[in-house]
Amino acid sequence: DAGVIQSPRHEVTEMGQEVTLRCKPISGHNSLFWYRQTMMRGLELLIYFNNNVPIDDSGMPEDRFSAKMPNASFSTLKIQPSEPRDSAVYFCASSLGGQRNYGYTFGSGTRLTVV
Amino acid sequence: KNEVEQSPQNLTAQEGEFITINCSYSVGISALHWLQQHPGGGIVSLFMLSSGKKKHGRLIATINIQEKHSSLHITASHPRDSAVYICAVRAAVGSQGNLIFGKGTKLSVKP
């Protein structure tokens, strides 16, 4: 398995533009997580899905952020409109099992810069 | 107060030294994870623990559930061990998989 695949690796965009981040989880994993990492706040959960259903989106900063998981092999995180304070590294991770203890696999991250 | 606290925040060591990074947490957990992140790099899962001790190469992770404490040890440290080490816990209740992260320990091993 190629692991969790995120794209793009780097994104530079202007304030106000729409940004879409993509994630392909490991085949067979049924939990998918979107995290944001900044110097100030470290890693924070944005949203996670179990069996393609959003379970907890309380970490999504505001209505400008939205996430979808149309099927078990693909998820998107969209920011519209983007702002400079959204600049961060966004990680996607997947895991097998809801209540059971399975390991997590992280993608390489998308480094977003909003200018 | 953060639910997961790591110490130290920063650590500089000489090559060959024995290194310990500590993690304390305040919630009941079902598992604790140690993660490694190299500068500009992705996050790699090193260990997942729910009790006792695990060893992988020069890395050893221990957990004391009663004391809500875990340690990550690196024996015979090497400059390639330089990275940020992150402790993360999965709460025992109210969570279907989400991790709560510590702020990380930045380790620098000098040759």
Side-chain angles (χ1 to χ4, degrees), chain A residues 33 35 37 41 43 45 48 50 55 91 97-104 106-108 111, chain B residues 30-31 33 35 37 40-43 45 48 50 86 90 94-99 101 103:
Chain A
F33 307 83
Y35 294 101
Q37 186 181 41
R41 300 171 68 93
L43 276 160
L45 176 73
Y48 73 93
N50 261 359
I55 301 301
F91 286 99
Q99 296 297 330
R100 298 180 185 179
N101 280 326
Y102 289 94
Y104 293 73
F106 286 80
S108 299
R111 183 174 294 275
Chain B
S30 59
H33 297 252
L35 310 170
Q37 185 175 28
I43 297 172
S45 178
M48 181 176 67
S50 54
I86 302 168
R90 178 177 166 173
S95 165
Q96 292 192 44
N98 180 36
L99 295 176
F101 296 93
K103 295 273 190 248

Side-chain angles (χ1 to χ4, degrees), chain B residues 46-57:
Chain B
L46 297 174
F47 293 106
M48 181 176 67
L49 291 164
S50 54
S51 65
K53 172 178 162 179
K54 285 190 177 180
K55 184 176 189 293
H56 181 70

Side-chain angles (χ1 to χ4, degrees), chain B residues 78-93:
Chain B
H78 190 276
R80 64 174 174 266
D81 298 326
S82 299
V84 175
Y85 292 84
I86 302 168
C87 173
V89 301
R90 178 177 166 173
V93 294

Side-chain angles (χ1 to χ4, degrees), chain A:
Chain A
D1 200 312
V4 175
I5 300 172
Q6 288 187 247
S7 63
R9 287 296 306 273
H10 302 273
E11 176 81 32
V12 180
T13 191
E14 290 186 345
M15 184 173 70
Q17 295 296 308
E18 178 181 295
V19 176
T20 299
L21 311 182
R22 296 173 176 80
C23 176
K24 181 180 187 307
I26 287 180
S27 176
H29 281 192
N30 61 352
S31 295
L32 183 141
F33 307 83
W34 282 102
Y35 294 101
R36 178 171 67 177
Q37 186 181 41
T38 61
M39 289 290 290
M40 291 296 294
R41 300 171 68 93
L43 276 160
E44 301 173 286
L45 176 73
L46 298 175
I47 185 171
Y48 73 93
F49 297 84
N50 261 359
N51 296 316
N52 312 340
V53 176
I55 301 301
D56 182 355
D57 65 355
S58 59
M60 296 285 262
E62 47 201 89
D63 292 345
R64 297 184 298 107
F65 284 68
S66 62
K68 293 182 180 179
M69 192 164 185
N71 57 62
S73 59
F74 184 66
S75 176
T76 59
L77 177 67
K78 186 177 292 187
I79 308 172
Q80 166 64 18
S82 57
E83 296 183 3
R85 61 192 165 121
D86 302 330
S87 297
V89 181
Y90 291 80
F91 286 99
C92 175
S94 71
S95 175
L96 174 63
Q99 296 297 330
R100 298 180 185 179
N101 280 326
Y102 289 94
Y104 293 73
T105 303
F106 286 80
S108 299
T110 294
R111 183 174 294 275
L112 174 65
T113 304
V114 183
V115 299

Side-chain angles (χ1 to χ4, degrees), chain B residues 65-88:
Chain B
I65 296 294
Q66 287 72 31
E67 295 185 4
K68 292 193 163 90
H69 181 268
S70 175
S71 293
L72 176 68
H73 306 284
I74 305 175
T75 61
S77 60
H78 190 276
R80 64 174 174 266
D81 298 326
S82 299
V84 175
Y85 292 84
I86 302 168
C87 173

